[in-house]
Amino acid sequence: MCWSATADLVVGAGVAAVGVACVTRMRGSRDLPLAALPLLLGAHQIVEAAVWDAGGGDGPATVLWAVIALPLVAVWVPAGVWCAAPSPARRRLAFPLALGVATAAALASGIADGPVTAEIRGHTVGYSVDLTHPTVLVAGYLLATVGSLLLSGDRRLLVLGVVAGVGASACFALWRLEFVSTWCAFAAVCSVMLLDWVRRRPDSARPRRGRTRNSDAAR
C-alpha cells in the first residue's frame, strides 16, 4: 500500500521494471517464480491505485488486491523458494510450502465468502476481510513466507527473510497508527534485493543442456 494513487502508480511501475530485469537476468528456469515476484508486487501496487481512484469500497479492484496480497503471495513465495532451492534443502522447505497452501486455501475461502472492503483513511487504505481465526492465519502466512526464506539455505534469501519480517512489522505498526502507508517502499526494497539475488546466482543454477546431451550421446 502507498500513500496515494499517484505513488502507487509510480512505485508499481518501478517495481515492475525491476521484475522485468529479474526475469531477463535469471540463470535458470527454477528461479522464475522468485524472479517474477517483483512483477506481481508491481501489479499489486497498480491495482491499489484503482482502489484509491474508486474511493475504496468493495469493487473488483479491492477484491483483486486482496487475492494478490493474501492467498496468492502465501503460496507464491514458499513455492518460489522451493523451486529455486537445491534438492537437499527441499525437504525442509516442504513444510512452509504445505503451510502456505493450507493458509492460502483458508484465505481464499474468506475472500470468496466476502465481503472484502476498502476504506480510505487519510494517507492509508484500510482493508477488511471477514476471516475465521485471523491470528492463526496471520501466523501461518508469516511462517510460510518469511519462514521459507529463512530456511532456504541461501544467504541472500535469508537476509531478505529478516528484512521482510522486520519490515512487515514496521509497516504494520505505521499503518495501524494511520500515519502513512509504507508497504510500497517495502516492496521496492525487497524487489531490489531479489534483483541482487538473481544477478549473483552461481552459474551452476543454469540448466546444463549441452552436458546432458553429450552424456546421452556417450551412452
Side-chain angles (χ1 to χ4, degrees), residues 31-57:
D31 294 346
L32 178 59
L34 273 184
L37 180 58
L39 286 173
L40 179 67
L41 297 178
H44 195 220
Q45 299 296 329
I46 294 170
V47 167
E48 190 176 64
V51 177
W52 278 100
D53 286 339

Side-chain angles (χ1 to χ4, degrees), residues 30-35 37 75-86 89-90 92-94 96-97 144-154 157-158 160 194 197 201:
R30 291 190 331 206
D31 294 346
L32 178 59
L34 273 184
L37 180 58
V75 173
W76 192 300
V77 173
V81 174
W82 186 90
C83 288
R90 290 186 176 182
R92 67 172 177 266
L93 290 170
L97 177 55
T145 53
V146 177
S148 63
L149 293 168
L150 296 178
L151 293 173
S152 65
D154 184 300
L157 292 183
L158 189 151
L160 176 59
L194 277 173
W197 171 77
R201 286 283 276 170

Side-chain angles (χ1 to χ4, degrees), residues 82-218:
W82 186 90
C83 288
S87 297
R90 290 186 176 182
R91 181 173 298 179
R92 67 172 177 266
L93 290 170
F95 172 72
L97 177 55
L99 184 60
V101 171
T103 301
L107 292 171
S109 177
I111 293 173
D113 291 342
V116 181
T117 59
E119 179 185 0
I120 307 299
R121 302 173 184 172
H123 294 292
T124 68
V125 181
Y127 294 89
S128 176
V129 183
D130 189 13
L131 298 173
T132 304
H133 307 300
T135 302
V136 175
L137 291 177
V138 169
Y141 187 99
L142 292 176
L143 287 172
T145 53
V146 177
S148 63
L149 293 168
L150 296 178
L151 293 173
S152 65
D154 184 300
R155 184 174 60 86
R156 288 182 176 80
L157 292 183
L158 189 151
V159 173
L160 176 59
V162 173
V163 171
V166 174
S169 300
C171 290
F172 180 73
L174 289 172
W175 175 78
R176 287 293 298 271
L177 293 172
E178 298 184 7
F179 171 61
V180 65
S181 183
T182 53
W183 285 103
C184 53
F186 174 57
V189 170
C190 289
S191 297
V192 171
M193 293 181 71
L194 277 173
L195 177 59
D196 181 65
W197 171 77
V198 168
R199 292 176 60 185
R200 295 176 183 271
R201 286 283 276 170
D203 290 339
S204 59
R206 294 178 179 175
R208 300 182 180 182
R209 298 175 183 173
R211 180 173 296 181
T212 301
R213 284 197 297 268
N214 292 338
S215 299
D216 292 341

Side-chain angles (χ1 to χ4, degrees), residues 64-82:
L64 180 57
W65 186 96
V67 168
I68 297 174
L70 300 177
L72 188 53
V73 170
V75 173
W76 192 300
V77 173
V81 174
W82 186 90

